[in-house]
Amino acid sequence: MTGGFLGSQHWLAGRLRRPHIAATLAVAAMVGAVAGVLSTGFWNAIAALDAILEFYVAGPVDCLASWPWGFLRIRFLFPAAGALAAALLARFLFATPQRLGVASVMLDARREWGRIPLRYVPATFINGVLTIGSGGSAGREAPVVAMGGGIGAWVARSLSLPPSQRRLFVGCGAAAAIAAAFNAPLAGVFFALEVVLGDFRLATVAPMMLASVAGTAMCRATEGVEEAAHLSVPPYHVVSPFEVVLYAGLGVAAALVGVAFTTLLQRSERFFATSRLPALLRPAVGGLGVGLLGLVHPGVLGNGYAGVLAACSGDLVAGVLLVLLVGKLVATALTLGSGGWGGDFAPALFVGAMTGGLYGALLTALLDDRVASSGAYAMVGMGAVLAAAIRCPITAILLLFELTGSYQVILPIMVAVATATFVASRLSRFGLYHARLFELGGPTVAAGGTHLEEYRVADAMQPVTHVLSEGSGVEEIRRLVATTQQTVFPVLDASGRLKGVVRLADLRAGILETTGGAPIIAADVLRDEVPLLTPEMPLREAAEVLAAAECDELPVVRAADDPRPCGLISQQAVLRIGVVGLPPGEGRSGGLDRDALQWEHRRCRNGD
C-alpha cells in the first residue's frame, strides 16, 4: 500500500518536473481546493469565537452588571486577551514568533522558492482566529493567503519540484485563498499574478485560474452559493453619465487615505519594534488600545464587514463615517503594528468604504439627487483605497465588479482606481506589501523587469571558491583552473586583503604557456587596478563597473575600507536578474526553517 503511494508520488513528481501540463493543472486544482477549505474554515472559526465570547462571556457579565455599560466593560478586554493568547501560542507551541504576512509570501515566491514551513499553516489559522475573533482590527485575507501559500509550498517540496514549480504552487494557493474569501475567482487570480508573483506569463496564468476556480467551488460547496459571498454589497447604479468625472476626485481622496493607511502601519510597527515592552506583551498592549477605541464605537472592532455593508447601503451619516474612518486607521495600526496576527486587506476595504461614503455624503449635500447616494461612492471608495494602499489596480477593479455583479460599476471604479494609483505612486514609492518586501530584501519588480536599481550586489554575488596568494606558482594555478568555473581569481596579501585579480585569459597567455625560463607566479600577471564593489552597492552601478572593467567577473569586498573578498559577481548573474528578474541562487539557504523570526521581520531587529 505504502509502496503504491510512493510510486504514484514519484510518477507525479516526474511528470511535473518535465513539466507535464495535465499533472501541473491537477496539482494546482488540489492546492486550490485545500486553500478554499482552509479559507472557509477560517471564516467560520472567527465567527464561532466571536459568538462564544459575546453570548457566553460578555452576555452573562452584562446581565449581572447593575449599570448599562457592563457589556462594554468586559468586551473591551477581549482584543487584548486574544492577542496575548496568540502571542503565547506562537512563541511556545508553534515556534513562530512573528506572523506570516503577504509580503513574506511574496518573498518566498520570488526569492526563497517554496520554503514556508508547514507549521505556519496551523499557527496562522489558530492565532488569526484568536486575534480577529476577539475583536482585533484585522482581516482574514492575509492569513488565508499565507495558509494557501504554505500549502502550495509544502506540496511542491513534498514532490521535490524545481524552484519554478514551487513558486507556481505558492501562487496557486494564494489565488485560491483570495477567491474563496470573496467568492471572486477573477480577483483571486489577478491578486496572485499582480501582487504575489508579479508574473503574467501564460504558463503561470492557466494553473492560477484552475486553482482559483477550485478554491471558489469548495467554498460554495461547503457554504452554498449565496452564503459564500461573505462581503456582499448592494447593486450599483449610475445616476448620470457626467457623474463619472466626480469619481476622479474620489480617487485623489482615496490616494491620500491609502498612503496615510500605509504610513501609519509602518510607523506603528517601528514604534512597537523599538519600544522596551517585552515582545510577548506588545500585541496585548495594542489589543488593549483597540478595545478602548471600541468603547467609542464598536464598529472599529474585528474585520469590519458589517460596517462596510452599512456604508455601502448608505445607512451611515457623515459624522459616523468620519469617526469610523479615523478609528479604523488607528485600531488597525495598533493591532498589526504591535504584532497581532491578521491582515490589512479587509481594513483597507473598510477605510475605503468610509472614505467613499464621506465623499459621497458631501456631494449629496451639495448636489442633492443629481448624484448617486453615498453608498455608491462607498463601494467605489473600497476599490480606490485598496489600489492606492496595495498598488493592485486590476485586482481592485475585478473585485468590485465581482462583488457588485454590476457592469455599471466598471467606469466609475476605473476612473477612481486609475486616479488613486497614479496619485499614490507620486506620494510614495511602494505600496504596503511592496514596501515590506523591499525591507525584507526581496525583488519589488515584476518577473521580466529590468529595474536593476531595485537590487543590490548582495542579491547577485556568489561565494569565492578559490583565491591566490602573490606567490602562487604554476602548478597550484593549473590545479585551480582544472577544478573551478571561476574566470577571475582574487589575489590576496598576507593579511587576506585584496591585492588584485588574475584573469583566466591572463593565465592562458602567460603562466599556462610557459615551458621554461624563470618561474612565473601570480604576481607576474596580477591586475592591481581593480574597482571595489561592495554588497550594498546598487546592482545597476555594479553592471556599469563590470562593463568598463572588461571582466566577466569581479570580486566583492566587505566594505570600501575593508578590502577582504566576500564574494564574486559576474556579468551572467547581472544579466539573469535584468532579463529574467531572478537572482542566481534559486535555492539559496536562509529559509524560514532556520530563522523564521529574522525571515519575516528582518527590518525589526529588536533583540528579543
Side-chain angles (χ1 to χ4, degrees):
M1 189 80 174
T2 304
F5 171 75
L6 292 176
S8 301
Q9 185 184 30
H10 291 317
W11 175 85
L12 180 59
R15 291 281 183 172
L16 286 165
R17 282 194 292 267
R18 290 186 192 179
H20 191 277
I21 296 175
T24 300
L25 295 179
V27 175
M30 180 188 70
V31 170
V34 174
V37 171
L38 282 173
S39 181
T40 302
F42 189 61
W43 172 266
N44 289 325
I46 291 172
L49 178 60
D50 180 70
I52 290 171
L53 291 176
E54 182 158 341
F55 291 104
Y56 294 100
V57 179
V61 172
D62 187 31
C63 292
L64 293 174
S66 59
W67 44 287
W69 285 66
F71 169 78
L72 291 177
R73 286 191 67 190
I74 188 65
R75 189 71 171 89
F76 89 92
L77 294 174
F78 290 168
L84 179 60
L88 291 172
L89 289 176
R91 176 64 62 87
F92 298 111
L93 178 61
F94 297 111
T96 54
Q98 301 290 349
R99 70 175 181 272
L100 194 67
V102 173
S104 301
V105 179
M106 294 167 67
L107 179 66
D108 188 72
R110 302 183 185 203
R111 176 67 55 80
E112 299 292 338
W113 307 105
R115 294 178 180 271
I116 301 175
L118 187 61
R119 70 176 184 275
Y120 265 93
V121 175
T124 301
F125 190 103
I126 295 174
N127 294 335
V129 168
L130 289 172
T131 301
I132 304 170
S134 62
S137 179
R140 71 185 184 107
E141 294 75 22
V144 297
V145 166
M147 288 186 282
I151 290 295
W154 176 75
V155 169
R157 287 198 308 273
S158 299
L159 295 173
S160 301
L161 298 182
S164 61
Q165 294 288 91
R166 297 201 299 267
R167 172 179 183 268
L168 174 65
F169 291 127
V170 170
C172 286
I178 288 293
F182 290 105
N183 192 23
L186 283 176
V189 170
F190 279 91
F191 178 82
L193 296 175
E194 189 176 27
V195 177
V196 177
L197 297 183
D199 185 356
F200 287 88
R201 290 175 295 179
L202 183 62
T204 305
V205 172
M208 295 288 172
M209 287 185 173
L210 197 57
S212 183
V213 168
T216 307
M218 290 303 297
C219 182
R220 293 178 179 180
T222 54
E223 297 199 352
V225 177
E226 296 298 330
E227 289 76 11
H230 300 301
L231 180 58
S232 180
V233 297
Y236 177 86
H237 299 288
V238 176
V239 174
S240 169
F242 300 103
E243 190 183 0
V244 173
V245 179
L246 298 176
Y247 286 98
L250 176 57
V252 175
L256 297 175
V257 173
V259 172
F261 179 76
T262 301
T263 303
L264 193 58
L265 278 177
Q266 292 170 341
R267 291 185 178 179
S268 178
E269 289 176 352
R270 295 190 187 103
F271 171 79
F272 280 101
T274 57
S275 70
R276 296 185 177 182
L277 286 170
L280 283 175
L281 294 181
R282 291 171 191 168
V285 172
L288 182 60
V290 174
L292 292 173
L293 285 172
L295 294 177
V296 178
H297 199 296
V300 303
L301 301 175
N303 54 46
Y305 284 167
V308 170
L309 184 58
C312 292
S313 301
D315 297 335
L316 302 179
V317 297
V320 174
L321 290 167
L322 181 60
V323 169
L324 289 176
L325 170 61
V326 177
K328 195 66 173 180
L329 285 172
V330 177
T332 304
L334 288 172
T335 299
L336 300 182
S338 63
W341 287 69
D344 34 42
F345 199 99
L349 293 176
F350 184 99
V351 169
M354 301 306 139
T355 302
L358 187 59
Y359 181 85
L362 295 176
L363 286 181
T364 303
L366 294 174
L367 302 174
D368 199 20
D369 58 354
R370 285 172 288 181
V371 296
S373 67
S374 63
Y377 286 90
M379 280 185 271
V380 177
M382 288 166 55
V385 170
L386 182 68
I390 300 179
R391 309 294 164 82
C392 55
I394 300 176
T395 302
I397 292 170
L398 290 175
L399 179 62
L400 262 293
F401 174 69
E402 291 186 282
L403 287 177
T404 61
S406 172
Y407 187 75
Q408 289 186 342
V409 79
I410 291 296
L411 292 181
I413 190 62
M414 287 181 68
V415 171
V417 165
T419 306
T421 305
F422 176 80
V423 174
S425 65
R426 296 300 182 272
L427 296 175
S428 65
R429 182 181 181 187
F430 296 124
L432 183 61
Y433 298 150
H434 289 85
R436 289 174 178 166
L437 180 63
F438 181 77
E439 292 172 352
L440 290 170
T444 58
V445 295
T450 58
H451 302 291
L452 293 180
E453 60 269 11
E454 303 287 355
Y455 295 86
R456 299 168 299 166
V457 169
D459 296 320
M461 72 181 190
Q462 295 293 303
V464 181
T465 55
H466 299 285
V467 297
L468 299 172
S469 65
E470 294 179 90
S472 297
V474 172
E475 293 303 321
E476 179 184 352
I477 296 173
R478 281 177 174 166
R479 286 195 300 270
L480 289 184
V481 172
T483 58
T484 181
Q485 299 296 318
Q486 281 183 216
T487 61
V488 169
F489 297 90
V491 180
L492 310 183
D493 61 17
S495 61
R497 299 162 68 90
L498 183 67
K499 188 73 174 178
V501 297
V502 173
R503 299 188 310 166
L504 187 59
D506 299 329
L507 294 176
R508 290 196 184 101
I511 299 175
L512 296 181
E513 295 179 1
T514 300
T515 57
I520 296 179
I521 60 176
D524 296 326
V525 288
L526 174 68
R527 288 176 173 250
D528 54 4
E529 295 183 0
V530 182
L532 295 182
L533 303 179
T534 62
E536 298 302 319
M537 181 180 292
L539 193 56
R540 181 174 294 281
E541 184 178 339
E544 295 172 355
V545 172
L546 275 167
E550 298 181 351
C551 287
D552 293 334
E553 287 181 326
L554 280 177
V556 181
V557 298
R558 297 185 179 185
D561 57 352
D562 185 8
R564 288 179 292 170
C566 61
L568 283 173
I569 186 170
S570 66
Q571 291 185 354
Q572 183 181 10
V574 174
L575 182 65
R576 178 175 174 79
I577 288 184
V579 175
V580 184
L582 306 174
E586 290 181 338
R588 296 198 301 182
S589 62
L592 280 171
D593 279 315
R594 189 180 68 182
D595 195 348
L597 173 59
Q598 196 172 49
W599 185 84
E600 167 60 13
H601 279 265
R602 201 170 295 159
R603 64 191 183 281
C604 298
R605 293 185 176 93
N606 48 38
D608 294 320

